[in-house]
Amino acid sequence: MLPEISLIITTYNRPDFLELVLLSVMRQTELPREVIVGDDGSGPETRALIDRYRPQLGCPLKHAWIEDLGFRAGTARNAAVRMAESDYIVMIDGDIVLGRHFVADHRSLARPGFFVAGSRGYLSPKATQRIVDTHDINIGFFRRGLRRRFICLHLPLLGRYIRGAKELRHVRSCHLGVWRDDYIAVNGFDNDFNGWGCEDSDFVQRLYHLGIKRRNAKLAATAFHLYHPNNARNNHEANHERLAQTIAQKRVRALRGYDQTDGSAAEHASGTDLSHPQQP
């Protein structure tokens, strides 16, 4: 049987982008079991947007908020996964608009003993602004301002014959599928990664150390990256050193990860208020 999917969306103070992502969820050929927004400390506009879309999304919409203490996307994902009720987790960032078959493709790609690394096309600043202004998320091969358009073709049968990258190359948590049990086995993302960079490579490397293998979603689970300026990379050198330690020590579990993440938000999962209790 194909697994049910909990779709995790990380976000930080971009409700305009998050709305486009939620709109792309609503037009899926197969809805996920639930959508959980892993919120890295956004203000009240994001909560208002989630409250507005909750009754119309078509599946449960949950909100896991953590305090804004800088870039902590890994911790936000841990908080979101603590709310998850499905056996399979698909993670995307809040700037990733989904193709219509995204969820269905991930369900068909899921195999025990594997995680799935996905790709995405890149939209130019002008194309992104047009989508924000019009809410036209029907993005296809001929969309103006789309880069890497050939990987955005939806040809999943052909994609099975394309091996793609190996090891840590081109694997990012902005588009990643993993079994929840495997996520928990490696203790999720390392909460000690602060600032942009390497927290996803560290997570994947620990999956490798656990014995989990990689599948690539080639010509399937199409996704489109909305343009925004790059995040500051002030702490990238320290993060890279943490990754190097994980590799050298063949570490499987994060020392401070999923198990050490505040789970208080999950206590509200059965009610209507699914936000973190400290949220403004």
Side-chain angles (χ1 to χ4, degrees), residues 147 170 182 207 215 254:
R147 293 190 294 115
H170 306 312
D182 295 337
L207 287 175
R215 296 191 79 194

Side-chain angles (χ1 to χ4, degrees), residues 13 23 40 60 87 90 127 132 140 156 189-190 206 215 250 266:
N13 280 332
L23 288 171
D40 195 9
D87 292 332
V90 176
V132 170
F189 284 81
D190 187 334
R206 286 184 284 109
R215 296 191 79 194
K250 299 189 182 301

Side-chain angles (χ1 to χ4, degrees), residues 46-58:
T46 295
R47 177 175 183 173
L49 175 73
I50 292 170
D51 288 343
R52 179 156 57 89
Y53 272 87
R54 185 171 286 125
Q56 58 181 304
L57 190 65

Side-chain angles (χ1 to χ4, degrees), residues 77-92:
R77 293 187 189 99
N78 286 338
V81 173
R82 291 188 71 93
M83 285 180 153
E85 299 181 30
S86 302
D87 292 332
Y88 198 79
I89 306 295
V90 176
M91 294 173 280
I92 61 170

